[in-house]
Amino acid sequence: MAGFIEEFKKFALRGNVMDLAVGVVIGGAFGKIVNGLVSNIISPIMGCLTGGSKFSNLFISLGSKPVETLAEAQAENVPVIAYGALIDAVIEFLIIAFSLFVVVKQINRLMPAPPPAEPRRCPYCREVIAADATRCPHCTAELEMKEKE
C-alpha cells in the first residue's frame, strides 16, 4: 500500500498534472466571466438589434398549448426547442476560443525560440551534411544512417 501511495504522490506532483489542475481552475473562472459577458452584455445588445429580446428567450413551442415566453413554457411543462440558449452557447464558445487564441499567441511570443538543431556532420571530414545522407558529398565516405529519436 505504501508503494501505491508513493507512486500516486509522484504522479500527482508532476509538473504536467499540476499545470493541468491550475488550467482547469482558471478555465472554470474564465468560463464564468465569459458567461456573464455573453448573458449580460452581448445578448442584450444583439437582442436590441434583432427586435428587443435576449437570445436565451428564443424558443419554438412543441406543445399544443400557446405560450408567450420561455419561462411560461417551462412553468407549464410545455416542450420547447430553446434554440436561443444554443446561440448563447455558440457566442460563449467563440469568445472563449478567441480569447485563448490571443493569450496563447502572446505567451508564445514571449517564450524564447528553441535553439536550432545541431547540424549533422561527417564523422571523417567534419563538414556539414544532409540529415538523411548515406555518403558524404565532400569526402565521399559511406555514412551510417542515424536512428530517428
Side-chain angles (χ1 to χ4, degrees), residues 28-85:
F30 187 69
K32 289 179 183 178
I33 292 170
V34 171
N35 187 12
L37 176 68
V38 170
S39 302
N40 301 321
I41 296 174
I42 294 175
S43 289
I45 291 171
M46 296 297 285
C48 286
L49 297 175
T50 59
S53 67
K54 291 171 62 174
F55 285 132
S56 58
N57 293 332
L58 300 176
F59 69 98
I60 298 172
S61 177
L62 299 176
S64 57
K65 187 174 186 178
V67 289
E68 295 296 318
T69 66
L70 181 59
E72 182 183 344
Q74 290 171 339
E76 297 184 22
N77 289 328
V78 175
V80 296
I81 297 175
Y83 66 91

Side-chain angles (χ1 to χ4, degrees), residues 88-109:
D88 276 349
V90 168
I91 292 170
E92 276 183 49
F93 169 77
L94 292 174
I95 290 171
I96 289 172
F98 179 74
S99 300
L100 288 176
F101 168 75
V102 170
V103 167
V104 169
K105 189 172 176 79
Q106 293 305 313
I107 289 172
N108 287 341
R109 197 185 79 180

